[in-house]
PDB file of all heavy atoms in Angstrom:
ATOM      1  N   LEU O1151      86.955  77.670 198.102  1.00 97.00           N
ATOM      2  CA  LEU O1151      87.227  79.115 198.345  1.00 97.00           C
ATOM      3  C   LEU O1151      87.252  79.318 199.883  1.00 97.00           C
ATOM      4  O   LEU O1151      88.148  80.047 200.439  1.00 97.00           O
ATOM      5  CB  LEU O1151      86.237  79.980 197.775  1.00 97.00           C
ATOM      6  CG  LEU O1151      86.436  81.500 197.907  1.00 97.00           C
ATOM      7  CD1 LEU O1151      87.784  81.937 197.328  1.00 97.00           C
ATOM      8  CD2 LEU O1151      85.317  82.306 197.350  1.00 97.00           C
ATOM      9  N   ASP O1152      86.375  78.640 200.649  1.00 96.00           N
ATOM     10  CA  ASP O1152      86.261  78.819 202.008  1.00 96.00           C
ATOM     11  C   ASP O1152      87.610  78.473 202.709  1.00 96.00           C
ATOM     12  O   ASP O1152      88.014  79.088 203.673  1.00 96.00           O
ATOM     13  CB  ASP O1152      85.150  77.926 202.651  1.00 96.00           C
ATOM     14  CG  ASP O1152      83.787  78.489 202.307  1.00 96.00           C
ATOM     15  OD1 ASP O1152      83.694  79.682 201.856  1.00 96.00           O
ATOM     16  OD2 ASP O1152      82.756  77.752 202.352  1.00 96.00           O
ATOM     17  N   ALA O1153      88.253  77.454 202.225  1.00 93.00           N
ATOM     18  CA  ALA O1153      89.552  76.984 202.817  1.00 93.00           C
ATOM     19  C   ALA O1153      90.593  78.060 202.554  1.00 93.00           C
ATOM     20  O   ALA O1153      91.494  78.171 203.356  1.00 93.00           O
ATOM     21  CB  ALA O1153      89.974  75.667 202.177  1.00 93.00           C
ATOM     22  N   ALA O1154      90.448  78.773 201.462  1.00 97.00           N
ATOM     23  CA  ALA O1154      91.465  79.759 201.039  1.00 97.00           C
ATOM     24  C   ALA O1154      91.400  81.149 201.755  1.00 97.00           C
ATOM     25  O   ALA O1154      92.411  81.732 201.989  1.00 97.00           O
ATOM     26  CB  ALA O1154      91.409  79.912 199.580  1.00 97.00           C
ATOM     27  N   LEU O1155      90.132  81.557 202.018  1.00 97.00           N
ATOM     28  CA  LEU O1155      89.950  82.924 202.446  1.00 97.00           C
ATOM     29  C   LEU O1155      90.700  83.343 203.727  1.00 97.00           C
ATOM     30  O   LEU O1155      91.288  84.421 203.747  1.00 97.00           O
ATOM     31  CB  LEU O1155      88.447  83.182 202.626  1.00 97.00           C
ATOM     32  CG  LEU O1155      87.679  83.258 201.296  1.00 97.00           C
ATOM     33  CD1 LEU O1155      86.181  83.350 201.505  1.00 97.00           C
ATOM     34  CD2 LEU O1155      88.203  84.389 200.350  1.00 97.00           C
ATOM     35  N   PRO O1156      90.737  82.478 204.742  1.00 96.00           N
ATOM     36  CA  PRO O1156      91.517  82.892 205.972  1.00 96.00           C
ATOM     37  C   PRO O1156      92.969  83.144 205.686  1.00 96.00           C
ATOM     38  O   PRO O1156      93.603  84.032 206.259  1.00 96.00           O
ATOM     39  CB  PRO O1156      91.265  81.761 206.944  1.00 96.00           C
ATOM     40  CG  PRO O1156      90.175  80.942 206.486  1.00 96.00           C
ATOM     41  CD  PRO O1156      90.076  81.171 204.931  1.00 96.00           C
ATOM     42  N   LEU O1157      93.531  82.346 204.740  1.00 97.00           N
ATOM     43  CA  LEU O1157      94.949  82.508 204.472  1.00 97.00           C
ATOM     44  C   LEU O1157      95.265  83.725 203.644  1.00 97.00           C
ATOM     45  O   LEU O1157      96.246  84.476 203.840  1.00 97.00           O
ATOM     46  CB  LEU O1157      95.483  81.282 203.649  1.00 97.00           C
ATOM     47  CG  LEU O1157      95.784  80.068 204.494  1.00 97.00           C
ATOM     48  CD1 LEU O1157      96.025  78.814 203.571  1.00 97.00           C
ATOM     49  CD2 LEU O1157      96.916  80.205 205.427  1.00 97.00           C
ATOM     50  N   ILE O1158      94.267  84.089 202.713  1.00 98.00           N
ATOM     51  CA  ILE O1158      94.449  85.358 201.983  1.00 98.00           C
ATOM     52  C   ILE O1158      94.418  86.538 202.903  1.00 98.00           C
ATOM     53  O   ILE O1158      95.245  87.417 202.876  1.00 98.00           O
ATOM     54  CB  ILE O1158      93.341  85.462 200.898  1.00 98.00           C
ATOM     55  CG1 ILE O1158      93.523  84.329 199.861  1.00 98.00           C
ATOM     56  CG2 ILE O1158      93.383  86.831 200.234  1.00 98.00           C
ATOM     57  CD1 ILE O1158      92.531  84.270 198.720  1.00 98.00           C
ATOM     58  N   GLU O1159      93.488  86.415 203.918  1.00 97.00           N
ATOM     59  CA  GLU O1159      93.393  87.457 204.950  1.00 97.00           C
ATOM     60  C   GLU O1159      94.735  87.587 205.683  1.00 97.00           C
ATOM     61  O   GLU O1159      95.197  88.764 205.948  1.00 97.00           O
ATOM     62  CB  GLU O1159      92.225  86.977 205.860  1.00 97.00           C
ATOM     63  CG  GLU O1159      91.377  88.135 206.487  1.00 97.00           C
ATOM     64  CD  GLU O1159      90.960  89.234 205.550  1.00 97.00           C
ATOM     65  OE1 GLU O1159      90.220  89.017 204.552  1.00 97.00           O
ATOM     66  OE2 GLU O1159      91.364  90.389 205.867  1.00 97.00           O
ATOM     67  N   LEU O1160      95.306  86.456 206.078  1.00 97.00           N
ATOM     68  CA  LEU O1160      96.518  86.344 206.848  1.00 97.00           C
ATOM     69  C   LEU O1160      97.656  87.088 206.056  1.00 97.00           C
ATOM     70  O   LEU O1160      98.440  87.806 206.707  1.00 97.00           O
ATOM     71  CB  LEU O1160      96.838  84.955 207.152  1.00 97.00           C
ATOM     72  CG  LEU O1160      98.128  84.616 207.932  1.00 97.00           C
ATOM     73  CD1 LEU O1160      97.960  85.131 209.393  1.00 97.00           C
ATOM     74  CD2 LEU O1160      98.384  83.167 207.939  1.00 97.00           C
ATOM     75  N   TYR O1161      97.734  86.842 204.767  1.00 98.00           N
ATOM     76  CA  TYR O1161      98.869  87.361 203.990  1.00 98.00           C
ATOM     77  C   TYR O1161      98.621  88.656 203.222  1.00 98.00           C
ATOM     78  O   TYR O1161      99.446  89.015 202.405  1.00 98.00           O
ATOM     79  CB  TYR O1161      99.315  86.251 202.957  1.00 98.00           C
ATOM     80  CG  TYR O1161      99.857  84.957 203.653  1.00 98.00           C
ATOM     81  CD1 TYR O1161      99.331  83.712 203.298  1.00 98.00           C
ATOM     82  CD2 TYR O1161     100.960  85.007 204.498  1.00 98.00           C
ATOM     83  CE1 TYR O1161      99.856  82.511 203.914  1.00 98.00           C
ATOM     84  CE2 TYR O1161     101.480  83.920 205.032  1.00 98.00           C
ATOM     85  CZ  TYR O1161     100.917  82.711 204.817  1.00 98.00           C
ATOM     86  OH  TYR O1161     101.449  81.520 205.267  1.00 98.00           O
ATOM     87  N   LYS O1162      97.422  89.273 203.425  1.00 97.00           N
ATOM     88  CA  LYS O1162      97.008  90.293 202.508  1.00 97.00           C
ATOM     89  C   LYS O1162      97.979  91.423 202.320  1.00 97.00           C
ATOM     90  O   LYS O1162      98.111  91.958 201.215  1.00 97.00           O
ATOM     91  CB  LYS O1162      95.615  90.850 202.964  1.00 97.00           C
ATOM     92  CG  LYS O1162      95.591  91.502 204.342  1.00 97.00           C
ATOM     93  CD  LYS O1162      94.190  91.820 204.773  1.00 97.00           C
ATOM     94  CE  LYS O1162      94.203  92.453 206.145  1.00 97.00           C
ATOM     95  NZ  LYS O1162      92.860  92.591 206.646  1.00 97.00           N
ATOM     96  N   GLU O1163      98.720  91.729 203.392  1.00 97.00           N
ATOM     97  CA  GLU O1163      99.694  92.847 203.241  1.00 97.00           C
ATOM     98  C   GLU O1163     100.775  92.600 202.271  1.00 97.00           C
ATOM     99  O   GLU O1163     101.391  93.484 201.744  1.00 97.00           O
ATOM    100  CB  GLU O1163     100.258  93.224 204.594  1.00 97.00           C
ATOM    101  CG  GLU O1163      99.289  93.604 205.730  1.00 97.00           C
ATOM    102  CD  GLU O1163      98.426  94.842 205.323  1.00 97.00           C
ATOM    103  OE1 GLU O1163      98.875  95.661 204.612  1.00 97.00           O
ATOM    104  OE2 GLU O1163      97.207  94.841 205.702  1.00 97.00           O
ATOM    105  N   LYS O1164     101.100  91.349 202.090  1.00 97.00           N
ATOM    106  CA  LYS O1164     102.223  91.002 201.206  1.00 97.00           C
ATOM    107  C   LYS O1164     101.866  90.813 199.717  1.00 97.00           C
ATOM    108  O   LYS O1164     102.700  90.717 198.833  1.00 97.00           O
ATOM    109  CB  LYS O1164     102.778  89.582 201.652  1.00 97.00           C
ATOM    110  CG  LYS O1164     103.306  89.549 203.101  1.00 97.00           C
ATOM    111  CD  LYS O1164     103.792  88.155 203.437  1.00 97.00           C
ATOM    112  CE  LYS O1164     104.239  88.019 204.849  1.00 97.00           C
ATOM    113  NZ  LYS O1164     105.522  88.669 205.130  1.00 97.00           N
ATOM    114  N   LEU O1165     100.559  90.817 199.405  1.00 98.00           N
ATOM    115  CA  LEU O1165     100.115  90.503 198.049  1.00 98.00           C
ATOM    116  C   LEU O1165     100.142  91.657 197.126  1.00 98.00           C
ATOM    117  O   LEU O1165      99.903  92.779 197.467  1.00 98.00           O
ATOM    118  CB  LEU O1165      98.657  89.971 198.095  1.00 98.00           C
ATOM    119  CG  LEU O1165      98.450  88.773 199.078  1.00 98.00           C
ATOM    120  CD1 LEU O1165      96.940  88.320 198.961  1.00 98.00           C
ATOM    121  CD2 LEU O1165      99.384  87.598 198.757  1.00 98.00           C
ATOM    122  N   VAL O1166     100.446  91.339 195.848  1.00 98.00           N
ATOM    123  CA  VAL O1166     100.335  92.390 194.770  1.00 98.00           C
ATOM    124  C   VAL O1166      99.072  92.142 193.968  1.00 98.00           C
ATOM    125  O   VAL O1166      98.708  93.000 193.103  1.00 98.00           O
ATOM    126  CB  VAL O1166     101.539  92.369 193.824  1.00 98.00           C
ATOM    127  CG1 VAL O1166     102.780  92.781 194.611  1.00 98.00           C
ATOM    128  CG2 VAL O1166     101.786  91.069 193.144  1.00 98.00           C
ATOM    129  N   GLY O1167      98.356  90.965 194.156  1.00 98.00           N
ATOM    130  CA  GLY O1167      97.113  90.680 193.426  1.00 98.00           C
ATOM    131  C   GLY O1167      96.407  89.533 193.914  1.00 98.00           C
ATOM    132  O   GLY O1167      97.029  88.742 194.730  1.00 98.00           O
ATOM    133  N   ILE O1168      95.129  89.319 193.425  1.00 98.00           N
ATOM    134  CA  ILE O1168      94.430  88.112 193.703  1.00 98.00           C
ATOM    135  C   ILE O1168      94.405  87.304 192.470  1.00 98.00           C
ATOM    136  O   ILE O1168      93.988  87.699 191.382  1.00 98.00           O
ATOM    137  CB  ILE O1168      92.938  88.523 194.103  1.00 98.00           C
ATOM    138  CG1 ILE O1168      92.953  89.365 195.328  1.00 98.00           C
ATOM    139  CG2 ILE O1168      92.096  87.332 194.231  1.00 98.00           C
ATOM    140  CD1 ILE O1168      93.367  88.637 196.588  1.00 98.00           C
ATOM    141  N   GLY O1169      94.924  86.049 192.535  1.00 97.00           N
ATOM    142  CA  GLY O1169      95.029  85.241 191.367  1.00 97.00           C
ATOM    143  C   GLY O1169      95.748  83.904 191.537  1.00 97.00           C
ATOM    144  O   GLY O1169      96.553  83.816 192.538  1.00 97.00           O
ATOM    145  N   GLU O1170      95.483  82.996 190.879  1.00 98.00           N
ATOM    146  CA  GLU O1170      94.884  82.938 189.607  1.00 98.00           C
ATOM    147  C   GLU O1170      93.415  82.650 189.785  1.00 98.00           C
ATOM    148  O   GLU O1170      93.066  81.592 190.403  1.00 98.00           O
ATOM    149  CB  GLU O1170      95.567  81.954 188.763  1.00 98.00           C
ATOM    150  CG  GLU O1170      94.945  81.850 187.342  1.00 98.00           C
ATOM    151  CD  GLU O1170      95.833  80.821 186.461  1.00 98.00           C
ATOM    152  OE1 GLU O1170      96.878  80.391 186.830  1.00 98.00           O
ATOM    153  OE2 GLU O1170      95.380  80.562 185.347  1.00 98.00           O
ATOM    154  N   VAL O1171      92.549  83.516 189.321  1.00 98.00           N
ATOM    155  CA  VAL O1171      91.113  83.340 189.459  1.00 98.00           C
ATOM    156  C   VAL O1171      90.487  83.366 188.053  1.00 98.00           C
ATOM    157  O   VAL O1171      91.152  83.714 187.055  1.00 98.00           O
ATOM    158  CB  VAL O1171      90.467  84.444 190.342  1.00 98.00           C
ATOM    159  CG1 VAL O1171      91.153  84.532 191.684  1.00 98.00           C
ATOM    160  CG2 VAL O1171      90.581  85.765 189.656  1.00 98.00           C
ATOM    161  N   GLY O1172      89.170  83.041 187.915  1.00 98.00           N
ATOM    162  CA  GLY O1172      88.619  83.132 186.653  1.00 98.00           C
ATOM    163  C   GLY O1172      87.545  82.074 186.355  1.00 98.00           C
ATOM    164  O   GLY O1172      86.983  81.428 187.260  1.00 98.00           O
ATOM    165  N   LEU O1173      87.322  81.811 185.051  1.00 98.00           N
ATOM    166  CA  LEU O1173      86.400  80.804 184.574  1.00 98.00           C
ATOM    167  C   LEU O1173      87.065  79.811 183.634  1.00 98.00           C
ATOM    168  O   LEU O1173      87.945  80.300 182.868  1.00 98.00           O
ATOM    169  CB  LEU O1173      85.205  81.411 183.895  1.00 98.00           C
ATOM    170  CG  LEU O1173      84.341  82.443 184.620  1.00 98.00           C
ATOM    171  CD1 LEU O1173      83.231  83.060 183.698  1.00 98.00           C
ATOM    172  CD2 LEU O1173      83.662  81.820 185.908  1.00 98.00           C
ATOM    173  N   ASP O1174      86.689  78.635 183.665  1.00 98.00           N
ATOM    174  CA  ASP O1174      87.287  77.581 182.683  1.00 98.00           C
ATOM    175  C   ASP O1174      86.142  76.713 182.316  1.00 98.00           C
ATOM    176  O   ASP O1174      85.739  75.796 182.992  1.00 98.00           O
ATOM    177  CB  ASP O1174      88.378  76.817 183.401  1.00 98.00           C
ATOM    178  CG  ASP O1174      89.203  75.938 182.366  1.00 98.00           C
ATOM    179  OD1 ASP O1174      88.474  75.376 181.456  1.00 98.00           O
ATOM    180  OD2 ASP O1174      90.387  75.963 182.417  1.00 98.00           O
ATOM    181  N   PHE O1175      85.632  76.963 181.081  1.00 98.00           N
ATOM    182  CA  PHE O1175      84.441  76.173 180.543  1.00 98.00           C
ATOM    183  C   PHE O1175      84.903  75.073 179.639  1.00 98.00           C
ATOM    184  O   PHE O1175      84.082  74.620 178.842  1.00 98.00           O
ATOM    185  CB  PHE O1175      83.380  77.115 179.989  1.00 98.00           C
ATOM    186  CG  PHE O1175      82.690  78.000 180.978  1.00 98.00           C
ATOM    187  CD1 PHE O1175      81.921  79.045 180.448  1.00 98.00           C
ATOM    188  CD2 PHE O1175      82.937  77.828 182.308  1.00 98.00           C
ATOM    189  CE1 PHE O1175      81.246  79.926 181.360  1.00 98.00           C
ATOM    190  CE2 PHE O1175      82.233  78.696 183.233  1.00 98.00           C
ATOM    191  CZ  PHE O1175      81.426  79.740 182.773  1.00 98.00           C
ATOM    192  N   THR O1176      86.122  74.591 179.752  1.00 96.00           N
ATOM    193  CA  THR O1176      86.573  73.435 179.007  1.00 96.00           C
ATOM    194  C   THR O1176      85.642  72.299 179.388  1.00 96.00           C
ATOM    195  O   THR O1176      85.484  71.999 180.582  1.00 96.00           O
ATOM    196  CB  THR O1176      88.015  73.038 179.386  1.00 96.00           C
ATOM    197  OG1 THR O1176      88.840  74.186 179.328  1.00 96.00           O
ATOM    198  CG2 THR O1176      88.586  71.945 178.532  1.00 96.00           C
ATOM    199  N   PRO O1177      85.026  71.605 178.344  1.00 95.00           N
ATOM    200  CA  PRO O1177      84.002  70.615 178.672  1.00 95.00           C
ATOM    201  C   PRO O1177      84.433  69.571 179.760  1.00 95.00           C
ATOM    202  O   PRO O1177      83.525  69.125 180.531  1.00 95.00           O
ATOM    203  CB  PRO O1177      83.627  70.008 177.337  1.00 95.00           C
ATOM    204  CG  PRO O1177      83.992  71.095 176.372  1.00 95.00           C
ATOM    205  CD  PRO O1177      85.169  71.824 176.945  1.00 95.00           C
ATOM    206  N   ARG O1178      85.589  69.104 179.710  1.00 93.00           N
ATOM    207  CA  ARG O1178      85.996  68.023 180.623  1.00 93.00           C
ATOM    208  C   ARG O1178      85.962  68.514 182.086  1.00 93.00           C
ATOM    209  O   ARG O1178      85.936  67.732 183.055  1.00 93.00           O
ATOM    210  CB  ARG O1178      87.283  67.377 180.266  1.00 93.00           C
ATOM    211  CG  ARG O1178      88.533  68.119 180.479  1.00 93.00           C
ATOM    212  CD  ARG O1178      89.752  67.209 180.130  1.00 93.00           C
ATOM    213  NE  ARG O1178      90.984  67.889 180.527  1.00 93.00           N
ATOM    214  CZ  ARG O1178      91.673  68.674 179.864  1.00 93.00           C
ATOM    215  NH1 ARG O1178      91.250  69.017 178.606  1.00 93.00           N
ATOM    216  NH2 ARG O1178      92.831  69.174 180.237  1.00 93.00           N
ATOM    217  N   PHE O1179      86.033  69.875 182.289  1.00 94.00           N
ATOM    218  CA  PHE O1179      86.002  70.430 183.659  1.00 94.00           C
ATOM    219  C   PHE O1179      84.620  70.896 184.018  1.00 94.00           C
ATOM    220  O   PHE O1179      84.162  70.809 185.200  1.00 94.00           O
ATOM    221  CB  PHE O1179      87.011  71.473 183.920  1.00 94.00           C
ATOM    222  CG  PHE O1179      88.523  71.094 183.555  1.00 94.00           C
ATOM    223  CD1 PHE O1179      89.199  71.864 182.738  1.00 94.00           C
ATOM    224  CD2 PHE O1179      88.942  69.925 184.122  1.00 94.00           C
ATOM    225  CE1 PHE O1179      90.518  71.464 182.473  1.00 94.00           C
ATOM    226  CE2 PHE O1179      90.244  69.517 183.884  1.00 94.00           C
ATOM    227  CZ  PHE O1179      91.056  70.337 182.989  1.00 94.00           C
ATOM    228  N   ALA O1180      83.996  71.537 183.056  1.00 95.00           N
ATOM    229  CA  ALA O1180      82.673  72.203 183.398  1.00 95.00           C
ATOM    230  C   ALA O1180      81.749  71.953 182.274  1.00 95.00           C
ATOM    231  O   ALA O1180      81.641  72.693 181.340  1.00 95.00           O
ATOM    232  CB  ALA O1180      82.929  73.660 183.561  1.00 95.00           C
ATOM    233  N   SER O1181      81.027  70.778 182.410  1.00 93.00           N
ATOM    234  CA  SER O1181      80.134  70.414 181.361  1.00 93.00           C
ATOM    235  C   SER O1181      78.671  70.831 181.716  1.00 93.00           C
ATOM    236  O   SER O1181      77.793  70.971 180.858  1.00 93.00           O
ATOM    237  CB  SER O1181      80.178  68.942 181.050  1.00 93.00           C
ATOM    238  OG  SER O1181      80.010  68.243 182.239  1.00 93.00           O
ATOM    239  N   THR O1182      78.386  71.058 183.050  1.00 97.00           N
ATOM    240  CA  THR O1182      77.012  71.281 183.469  1.00 97.00           C
ATOM    241  C   THR O1182      76.868  72.756 183.835  1.00 97.00           C
ATOM    242  O   THR O1182      77.781  73.480 184.250  1.00 97.00           O
ATOM    243  CB  THR O1182      76.689  70.460 184.727  1.00 97.00           C
ATOM    244  OG1 THR O1182      77.416  70.891 185.867  1.00 97.00           O
ATOM    245  CG2 THR O1182      76.898  69.000 184.451  1.00 97.00           C
ATOM    246  N   ASP O1183      75.648  73.201 183.811  1.00 97.00           N
ATOM    247  CA  ASP O1183      75.317  74.608 184.197  1.00 97.00           C
ATOM    248  C   ASP O1183      75.648  74.833 185.666  1.00 97.00           C
ATOM    249  O   ASP O1183      76.103  75.886 186.103  1.00 97.00           O
ATOM    250  CB  ASP O1183      73.819  74.971 183.983  1.00 97.00           C
ATOM    251  CG  ASP O1183      73.547  75.048 182.518  1.00 97.00           C
ATOM    252  OD1 ASP O1183      74.450  75.162 181.683  1.00 97.00           O
ATOM    253  OD2 ASP O1183      72.314  74.979 182.114  1.00 97.00           O
ATOM    254  N   GLU O1184      75.448  73.720 186.461  1.00 97.00           N
ATOM    255  CA  GLU O1184      75.764  73.786 187.876  1.00 97.00           C
ATOM    256  C   GLU O1184      77.331  74.081 188.075  1.00 97.00           C
ATOM    257  O   GLU O1184      77.658  74.965 188.987  1.00 97.00           O
ATOM    258  CB  GLU O1184      75.344  72.497 188.505  1.00 97.00           C
ATOM    259  CG  GLU O1184      75.305  72.533 190.040  1.00 97.00           C
ATOM    260  CD  GLU O1184      74.997  71.138 190.662  1.00 97.00           C
ATOM    261  OE1 GLU O1184      74.846  70.131 189.840  1.00 97.00           O
ATOM    262  OE2 GLU O1184      74.860  71.061 191.857  1.00 97.00           O
ATOM    263  N   GLN O1185      78.131  73.394 187.338  1.00 97.00           N
ATOM    264  CA  GLN O1185      79.555  73.528 187.485  1.00 97.00           C
ATOM    265  C   GLN O1185      79.951  75.026 187.142  1.00 97.00           C
ATOM    266  O   GLN O1185      80.687  75.641 187.738  1.00 97.00           O
ATOM    267  CB  GLN O1185      80.288  72.561 186.676  1.00 97.00           C
ATOM    268  CG  GLN O1185      80.271  71.183 187.321  1.00 97.00           C
ATOM    269  CD  GLN O1185      80.843  70.137 186.313  1.00 97.00           C
ATOM    270  OE1 GLN O1185      80.515  70.149 185.102  1.00 97.00           O
ATOM    271  NE2 GLN O1185      81.560  69.149 186.844  1.00 97.00           N
ATOM    272  N   LYS O1186      79.346  75.505 186.004  1.00 98.00           N
ATOM    273  CA  LYS O1186      79.665  76.796 185.518  1.00 98.00           C
ATOM    274  C   LYS O1186      79.188  77.881 186.506  1.00 98.00           C
ATOM    275  O   LYS O1186      79.945  78.808 186.793  1.00 98.00           O
ATOM    276  CB  LYS O1186      79.030  77.060 184.149  1.00 98.00           C
ATOM    277  CG  LYS O1186      79.679  76.267 183.042  1.00 98.00           C
ATOM    278  CD  LYS O1186      78.931  76.426 181.732  1.00 98.00           C
ATOM    279  CE  LYS O1186      79.596  75.617 180.628  1.00 98.00           C
ATOM    280  NZ  LYS O1186      78.853  75.564 179.375  1.00 98.00           N
ATOM    281  N   GLU O1187      78.039  77.613 187.119  1.00 98.00           N
ATOM    282  CA  GLU O1187      77.509  78.608 188.105  1.00 98.00           C
ATOM    283  C   GLU O1187      78.465  78.574 189.304  1.00 98.00           C
ATOM    284  O   GLU O1187      78.690  79.634 189.963  1.00 98.00           O
ATOM    285  CB  GLU O1187      76.027  78.258 188.437  1.00 98.00           C
ATOM    286  CG  GLU O1187      75.334  79.248 189.330  1.00 98.00           C
ATOM    287  CD  GLU O1187      75.455  80.716 188.827  1.00 98.00           C
ATOM    288  OE1 GLU O1187      75.481  81.005 187.621  1.00 98.00           O
ATOM    289  OE2 GLU O1187      75.577  81.627 189.728  1.00 98.00           O
ATOM    290  N   GLY O1188      78.848  77.392 189.770  1.00 98.00           N
ATOM    291  CA  GLY O1188      79.741  77.316 190.859  1.00 98.00           C
ATOM    292  C   GLY O1188      81.066  78.171 190.644  1.00 98.00           C
ATOM    293  O   GLY O1188      81.492  78.904 191.508  1.00 98.00           O
ATOM    294  N   GLN O1189      81.571  78.028 189.398  1.00 98.00           N
ATOM    295  CA  GLN O1189      82.786  78.840 189.061  1.00 98.00           C
ATOM    296  C   GLN O1189      82.482  80.406 189.120  1.00 98.00           C
ATOM    297  O   GLN O1189      83.282  81.156 189.612  1.00 98.00           O
ATOM    298  CB  GLN O1189      83.256  78.485 187.704  1.00 98.00           C
ATOM    299  CG  GLN O1189      83.972  77.107 187.575  1.00 98.00           C
ATOM    300  CD  GLN O1189      84.597  76.883 186.261  1.00 98.00           C
ATOM    301  OE1 GLN O1189      84.852  77.902 185.482  1.00 98.00           O
ATOM    302  NE2 GLN O1189      84.883  75.630 185.873  1.00 98.00           N
TER     303      GLN O1189
END
């Protein structure tokens, strides 16, 4: 996210939304509580 924030700031006037954001608890991507908390 840190890598993305300055660019979002740069382009903010052009945007219609923030996305794609969210949670994905598919076990092969997020099997641990730590990964889920990171998301």
Side-chain angles (χ1 to χ4, degrees):
L1151 181 63
D1152 289 341
L1155 291 173
L1157 282 171
I1158 294 177
E1159 215 44 63
L1160 180 68
Y1161 294 125
K1162 63 186 178 190
E1163 300 303 328
K1164 299 176 185 288
L1165 305 183
V1166 296
I1168 296 296
E1170 178 174 354
V1171 304
L1173 301 176
D1174 191 318
F1175 291 170
T1176 311
R1178 71 176 190 274
F1179 302 130
S1181 52
T1182 69
D1183 288 344
E1184 194 184 1
Q1185 286 168 320
K1186 290 175 182 174
E1187 188 50 36
Q1189 288 190 17

